[in-house]
Short mmCIF file of all heavy atoms in Angstrom, two decimals:
data_model
loop_
_atom_site.label_atom_id
_atom_site.label_comp_id
_atom_site.label_asym_id
_atom_site.label_seq_id
_atom_site.Cartn_x
_atom_site.Cartn_y
_atom_site.Cartn_z
N VAL A 1 -13.40 24.02 -1.17
CA VAL A 1 -13.12 23.27 0.05
C VAL A 1 -12.29 22.03 -0.29
O VAL A 1 -12.58 21.34 -1.26
CB VAL A 1 -14.42 22.86 0.75
CG1 VAL A 1 -14.14 21.90 1.90
CG2 VAL A 1 -15.17 24.08 1.24
N GLN A 2 -11.30 21.77 0.51
CA GLN A 2 -10.52 20.54 0.37
C GLN A 2 -10.90 19.59 1.49
O GLN A 2 -11.03 20.00 2.66
CB GLN A 2 -9.02 20.83 0.40
CG GLN A 2 -8.54 21.61 -0.83
CD GLN A 2 -7.04 21.77 -0.86
OE1 GLN A 2 -6.39 21.75 0.18
NE2 GLN A 2 -6.48 21.89 -2.05
N LEU A 3 -11.06 18.32 1.14
CA LEU A 3 -11.42 17.28 2.10
C LEU A 3 -10.28 16.26 2.16
O LEU A 3 -9.86 15.76 1.11
CB LEU A 3 -12.72 16.59 1.68
CG LEU A 3 -13.93 17.50 1.49
CD1 LEU A 3 -15.10 16.71 0.90
CD2 LEU A 3 -14.34 18.13 2.80
N VAL A 4 -9.81 15.97 3.35
CA VAL A 4 -8.70 15.04 3.52
C VAL A 4 -9.13 13.91 4.45
O VAL A 4 -9.41 14.15 5.63
CB VAL A 4 -7.45 15.74 4.06
CG1 VAL A 4 -6.31 14.74 4.22
CG2 VAL A 4 -7.03 16.88 3.14
N GLU A 5 -9.15 12.71 3.90
CA GLU A 5 -9.52 11.53 4.68
C GLU A 5 -8.29 10.90 5.32
O GLU A 5 -7.18 10.99 4.78
CB GLU A 5 -10.21 10.47 3.80
CG GLU A 5 -11.43 10.94 3.06
CD GLU A 5 -11.14 11.39 1.64
OE1 GLU A 5 -9.98 11.78 1.37
OE2 GLU A 5 -12.05 11.33 0.79
N SER A 6 -8.50 10.25 6.45
CA SER A 6 -7.44 9.49 7.11
C SER A 6 -8.07 8.39 7.95
O SER A 6 -9.29 8.39 8.16
CB SER A 6 -6.58 10.41 7.98
OG SER A 6 -7.36 10.96 9.03
N GLY A 7 -7.22 7.47 8.42
CA GLY A 7 -7.70 6.42 9.32
C GLY A 7 -7.84 5.06 8.68
O GLY A 7 -8.16 4.09 9.38
N GLY A 8 -7.62 4.97 7.37
CA GLY A 8 -7.70 3.67 6.73
C GLY A 8 -6.52 2.78 7.10
O GLY A 8 -5.57 3.22 7.74
N GLY A 9 -6.63 1.53 6.69
CA GLY A 9 -5.54 0.59 6.98
C GLY A 9 -6.01 -0.84 6.85
O GLY A 9 -7.10 -1.11 6.32
N LEU A 10 -5.18 -1.74 7.33
CA LEU A 10 -5.47 -3.17 7.29
C LEU A 10 -6.05 -3.60 8.64
O LEU A 10 -5.45 -3.28 9.69
CB LEU A 10 -4.20 -3.95 6.99
CG LEU A 10 -4.29 -5.48 7.05
CD1 LEU A 10 -5.25 -6.00 6.00
CD2 LEU A 10 -2.91 -6.09 6.90
N VAL A 11 -7.16 -4.29 8.60
CA VAL A 11 -7.80 -4.75 9.83
C VAL A 11 -8.35 -6.15 9.60
O VAL A 11 -8.73 -6.50 8.48
CB VAL A 11 -8.91 -3.77 10.26
CG1 VAL A 11 -10.01 -3.69 9.23
CG2 VAL A 11 -9.48 -4.12 11.63
N GLN A 12 -8.38 -6.95 10.65
CA GLN A 12 -8.92 -8.30 10.54
C GLN A 12 -10.45 -8.28 10.57
O GLN A 12 -11.05 -7.34 11.11
CB GLN A 12 -8.41 -9.16 11.70
CG GLN A 12 -6.92 -9.42 11.64
CD GLN A 12 -6.47 -10.40 12.71
OE1 GLN A 12 -7.18 -10.64 13.69
NE2 GLN A 12 -5.29 -10.98 12.54
N PRO A 13 -11.06 -9.29 9.98
CA PRO A 13 -12.52 -9.38 10.06
C PRO A 13 -12.99 -9.33 11.51
O PRO A 13 -12.38 -9.95 12.39
CB PRO A 13 -12.82 -10.74 9.42
CG PRO A 13 -11.68 -10.95 8.46
CD PRO A 13 -10.48 -10.35 9.15
N GLY A 14 -14.06 -8.57 11.73
CA GLY A 14 -14.57 -8.36 13.07
C GLY A 14 -13.98 -7.17 13.79
O GLY A 14 -14.46 -6.79 14.86
N GLY A 15 -12.95 -6.59 13.21
CA GLY A 15 -12.29 -5.45 13.82
C GLY A 15 -12.99 -4.13 13.55
O GLY A 15 -14.05 -4.08 12.93
N SER A 16 -12.35 -3.06 14.04
CA SER A 16 -12.93 -1.72 13.92
C SER A 16 -11.90 -0.73 13.39
O SER A 16 -10.69 -0.91 13.60
CB SER A 16 -13.42 -1.23 15.29
OG SER A 16 -14.45 -2.05 15.79
N LEU A 17 -12.39 0.30 12.74
CA LEU A 17 -11.59 1.43 12.31
C LEU A 17 -12.44 2.68 12.42
O LEU A 17 -13.67 2.62 12.29
CB LEU A 17 -11.13 1.29 10.85
CG LEU A 17 -9.96 0.37 10.52
CD1 LEU A 17 -9.75 0.34 9.02
CD2 LEU A 17 -8.68 0.83 11.21
N ARG A 18 -11.79 3.82 12.63
CA ARG A 18 -12.48 5.10 12.58
C ARG A 18 -11.83 5.97 11.52
O ARG A 18 -10.64 6.28 11.61
CB ARG A 18 -12.48 5.83 13.92
CG ARG A 18 -13.39 7.06 13.89
CD ARG A 18 -13.48 7.78 15.21
NE ARG A 18 -12.33 8.63 15.47
CZ ARG A 18 -12.33 9.67 16.29
NH1 ARG A 18 -13.45 9.99 16.95
NH2 ARG A 18 -11.23 10.38 16.49
N LEU A 19 -12.61 6.34 10.53
CA LEU A 19 -12.13 7.24 9.49
C LEU A 19 -12.47 8.68 9.87
O LEU A 19 -13.51 8.94 10.48
CB LEU A 19 -12.78 6.91 8.15
CG LEU A 19 -12.65 5.47 7.65
CD1 LEU A 19 -13.27 5.34 6.27
CD2 LEU A 19 -11.21 5.02 7.64
N SER A 20 -11.59 9.58 9.47
CA SER A 20 -11.81 11.01 9.69
C SER A 20 -11.73 11.74 8.36
O SER A 20 -10.96 11.36 7.47
CB SER A 20 -10.76 11.58 10.64
OG SER A 20 -10.81 10.97 11.90
N CYS A 21 -12.50 12.78 8.23
CA CYS A 21 -12.47 13.66 7.05
C CYS A 21 -12.40 15.09 7.55
O CYS A 21 -13.37 15.58 8.16
CB CYS A 21 -13.72 13.44 6.20
SG CYS A 21 -13.96 14.66 4.90
N VAL A 22 -11.27 15.72 7.32
CA VAL A 22 -11.08 17.10 7.76
C VAL A 22 -11.24 18.03 6.57
O VAL A 22 -10.61 17.84 5.52
CB VAL A 22 -9.69 17.28 8.38
CG1 VAL A 22 -9.51 18.74 8.82
CG2 VAL A 22 -9.51 16.35 9.57
N ALA A 23 -12.11 19.02 6.74
CA ALA A 23 -12.36 20.01 5.69
C ALA A 23 -11.52 21.26 5.93
O ALA A 23 -11.24 21.62 7.07
CB ALA A 23 -13.84 20.37 5.66
N SER A 24 -11.17 21.91 4.81
CA SER A 24 -10.33 23.12 4.92
C SER A 24 -11.15 24.34 5.33
O SER A 24 -10.57 25.38 5.65
CB SER A 24 -9.63 23.38 3.59
OG SER A 24 -10.60 23.56 2.55
N GLY A 25 -12.48 24.19 5.29
CA GLY A 25 -13.34 25.28 5.70
C GLY A 25 -14.48 24.77 6.57
O GLY A 25 -14.55 23.58 6.88
N SER A 26 -15.33 25.67 6.96
CA SER A 26 -16.46 25.29 7.82
C SER A 26 -17.41 24.35 7.11
O SER A 26 -17.70 24.52 5.92
CB SER A 26 -17.21 26.55 8.25
OG SER A 26 -18.37 26.19 8.98
N ILE A 27 -17.89 23.34 7.85
CA ILE A 27 -18.88 22.41 7.30
C ILE A 27 -20.19 22.49 8.07
O ILE A 27 -21.07 21.65 7.87
CB ILE A 27 -18.36 20.96 7.33
CG1 ILE A 27 -18.10 20.50 8.78
CG2 ILE A 27 -17.11 20.80 6.48
CD1 ILE A 27 -17.90 19.00 8.92
N SER A 28 -20.32 23.46 8.93
CA SER A 28 -21.48 23.49 9.83
C SER A 28 -22.81 23.58 9.09
O SER A 28 -23.84 23.13 9.60
CB SER A 28 -21.34 24.65 10.82
OG SER A 28 -21.26 25.88 10.12
N ASN A 29 -22.84 24.15 7.90
CA ASN A 29 -24.07 24.27 7.13
C ASN A 29 -24.15 23.29 5.96
O ASN A 29 -24.99 23.46 5.07
CB ASN A 29 -24.23 25.70 6.61
CG ASN A 29 -24.48 26.68 7.73
OD1 ASN A 29 -25.25 26.42 8.65
ND2 ASN A 29 -23.80 27.81 7.68
N ASN A 30 -23.27 22.30 5.99
CA ASN A 30 -23.15 21.40 4.84
C ASN A 30 -23.67 20.01 5.16
O ASN A 30 -23.54 19.51 6.29
CB ASN A 30 -21.68 21.27 4.43
CG ASN A 30 -21.06 22.60 4.05
OD1 ASN A 30 -21.72 23.62 4.02
ND2 ASN A 30 -19.78 22.58 3.78
N ASN A 31 -24.24 19.38 4.15
CA ASN A 31 -24.56 17.95 4.22
C ASN A 31 -23.33 17.18 3.74
O ASN A 31 -22.77 17.50 2.68
CB ASN A 31 -25.76 17.62 3.35
CG ASN A 31 -27.04 18.28 3.83
OD1 ASN A 31 -27.13 18.71 4.98
ND2 ASN A 31 -28.01 18.38 2.94
N MET A 32 -22.93 16.19 4.51
CA MET A 32 -21.70 15.45 4.23
C MET A 32 -21.98 13.96 4.10
O MET A 32 -23.02 13.47 4.60
CB MET A 32 -20.69 15.68 5.37
CG MET A 32 -20.37 17.13 5.67
SD MET A 32 -19.50 17.96 4.33
CE MET A 32 -17.93 17.07 4.35
N GLY A 33 -21.06 13.25 3.46
CA GLY A 33 -21.27 11.82 3.31
C GLY A 33 -19.98 11.05 3.14
O GLY A 33 -18.92 11.63 2.87
N TRP A 34 -20.09 9.75 3.33
CA TRP A 34 -19.01 8.81 3.05
C TRP A 34 -19.47 7.87 1.95
O TRP A 34 -20.62 7.39 1.97
CB TRP A 34 -18.65 8.00 4.29
CG TRP A 34 -17.86 8.74 5.31
CD1 TRP A 34 -18.34 9.38 6.42
CD2 TRP A 34 -16.44 8.94 5.33
NE1 TRP A 34 -17.32 9.97 7.13
CE2 TRP A 34 -16.13 9.70 6.48
CE3 TRP A 34 -15.40 8.55 4.50
CZ2 TRP A 34 -14.83 10.07 6.81
CZ3 TRP A 34 -14.11 8.92 4.83
CH2 TRP A 34 -13.83 9.67 5.97
N TYR A 35 -18.58 7.61 1.00
CA TYR A 35 -18.82 6.68 -0.09
C TYR A 35 -17.66 5.70 -0.12
O TYR A 35 -16.61 5.95 0.47
CB TYR A 35 -18.90 7.43 -1.43
CG TYR A 35 -20.10 8.32 -1.56
CD1 TYR A 35 -20.21 9.49 -0.80
CD2 TYR A 35 -21.13 8.02 -2.44
CE1 TYR A 35 -21.32 10.31 -0.91
CE2 TYR A 35 -22.25 8.83 -2.57
CZ TYR A 35 -22.33 9.97 -1.79
OH TYR A 35 -23.44 10.79 -1.91
N ARG A 36 -17.83 4.61 -0.85
CA ARG A 36 -16.73 3.66 -1.00
C ARG A 36 -16.76 3.03 -2.38
O ARG A 36 -17.81 2.91 -3.00
CB ARG A 36 -16.78 2.59 0.08
CG ARG A 36 -17.95 1.62 -0.01
CD ARG A 36 -17.95 0.69 1.19
NE ARG A 36 -19.05 -0.27 1.14
CZ ARG A 36 -19.33 -1.13 2.12
NH1 ARG A 36 -18.59 -1.14 3.24
NH2 ARG A 36 -20.34 -1.97 2.00
N GLN A 37 -15.57 2.64 -2.81
CA GLN A 37 -15.42 2.01 -4.12
C GLN A 37 -14.49 0.82 -3.98
O GLN A 37 -13.30 0.98 -3.70
CB GLN A 37 -14.89 2.99 -5.15
CG GLN A 37 -14.89 2.45 -6.57
CD GLN A 37 -14.66 3.53 -7.60
OE1 GLN A 37 -14.18 4.62 -7.30
NE2 GLN A 37 -15.01 3.25 -8.84
N ALA A 38 -15.06 -0.36 -4.18
CA ALA A 38 -14.27 -1.58 -4.15
C ALA A 38 -13.63 -1.78 -5.52
O ALA A 38 -14.11 -1.26 -6.53
CB ALA A 38 -15.16 -2.77 -3.80
N PRO A 39 -12.55 -2.57 -5.58
CA PRO A 39 -11.87 -2.80 -6.86
C PRO A 39 -12.83 -3.34 -7.92
O PRO A 39 -13.55 -4.31 -7.67
CB PRO A 39 -10.80 -3.83 -6.51
CG PRO A 39 -10.54 -3.61 -5.06
CD PRO A 39 -11.84 -3.22 -4.46
N GLY A 40 -12.85 -2.69 -9.08
CA GLY A 40 -13.68 -3.15 -10.17
C GLY A 40 -15.16 -2.86 -10.04
O GLY A 40 -15.96 -3.34 -10.85
N LYS A 41 -15.53 -2.09 -9.02
CA LYS A 41 -16.95 -1.80 -8.79
C LYS A 41 -17.21 -0.30 -8.81
O LYS A 41 -16.28 0.50 -8.77
CB LYS A 41 -17.40 -2.39 -7.47
CG LYS A 41 -17.34 -3.92 -7.44
CD LYS A 41 -17.99 -4.48 -6.20
CE LYS A 41 -17.99 -5.99 -6.22
NZ LYS A 41 -18.66 -6.56 -5.01
#
């Protein structure tokens, strides 16, 4: 399965963004998650 994220960008503090992750196959039976990695962490 390939996962492609989108929706990132520059936003001011207090603002909002919606990220999307589109899978190349069905995810209906899958557990999914979002992770993040800050610089140097």
Side-chain angles (χ1 to χ4, degrees):
V1 171
Q2 292 186 334
L3 303 173
V4 180
E5 304 95 336
S6 63
L10 174 63
V11 62
Q12 293 186 342
S16 297
L17 282 177
R18 188 177 79 157
L19 305 184
S20 299
C21 169
V22 179
S24 59
S26 175
I27 63 167
S28 60
N29 292 317
N30 301 356
N31 295 341
M32 305 293 294
W34 284 96
Y35 292 70
R36 68 185 181 186
Q37 187 167 18
K41 296 189 177 181

